[in-house]
Amino acid sequence: MQRTFLLAKIHNCTLTAANLDYIGSISIDRTLMDAAGILPFEQVQVVNKANGERLITYAIPAPANSGAIELNGAAARLGMKGDTLIIMTYAQFTAEELKEHSPTVVLVDENNRIVTVNHYGQLLEEAVN
């Protein structure tokens, strides 16, 4: 059996733009994607803390160290510049794979600069043992 768990999260990032006429997705500063382990075109869930909207789309890299977090296409209607977002990825794991899994959580400041990168393998290890 496989179960779905958090793979990575960028927590409390700030939406820097909403581009309705851009081809759909969410653009994320490449530095943040790399820190979280999010790959280009990987499926992400986006939660907008300002309005409660949730959406699933895919990530595309914005220039590294730009601080850019941009909702594109139809998703642009679900947020406004300045909104606080949480961006998450999930993966499916077998019981054996789960023993080695450590979710990554990237915490950022108001300019979308990395404050800290946390790994939560210990919490998961305690839960599965």
Side-chain angles (χ1 to χ4, degrees):
M1 174 179 63
Q2 292 188 326
R3 297 176 75 174
T4 304
F5 285 84
L6 180 69
L7 182 62
K9 173 169 80 165
I10 302 171
H11 190 73
N12 283 349
C13 55
T14 303
L15 185 60
T16 59
N19 305 306
L20 186 60
D21 294 323
Y22 189 87
I23 297 173
S25 63
I26 185 170
S27 301
I28 304 170
D29 179 317
R30 183 62 189 247
T31 303
L32 298 178
M33 288 180 63
D34 290 346
I38 298 172
L39 299 176
F41 304 105
E42 184 172 357
Q43 179 178 296
V44 294
Q45 180 182 33
V46 181
V47 178
N48 187 328
K49 290 177 64 176
N51 62 20
E53 292 285 352
R54 292 176 172 259
L55 69 118
I56 295 174
T57 188
Y58 60 93
I60 58 173
N65 300 310
S66 65
I69 302 288
E70 303 173 356
L71 288 174
N72 302 312
R77 295 201 181 274
L78 302 178
M80 295 178 13
K81 183 177 179 178
D83 286 355
T84 301
L85 308 179
I86 301 170
I87 302 168
M88 298 168 282
T89 61
Y90 301 91
Q92 294 187 339
F93 297 90
T94 63
E96 282 302 309
E97 292 169 329
L98 199 53
K99 292 177 182 176
E100 302 298 319
H101 176 55
S102 181
T104 301
V105 177
V106 178
L107 302 176
V108 299
D109 65 15
E110 64 279 353
N111 297 309
N112 296 328
R113 304 287 184 230
I114 296 171
V115 173
T116 187
V117 178
N118 297 312
H119 301 278
Y120 291 100
Q122 182 65 31
L123 287 174
L124 199 50
E125 184 178 327
E126 292 169 4
V128 296
N129 288 327

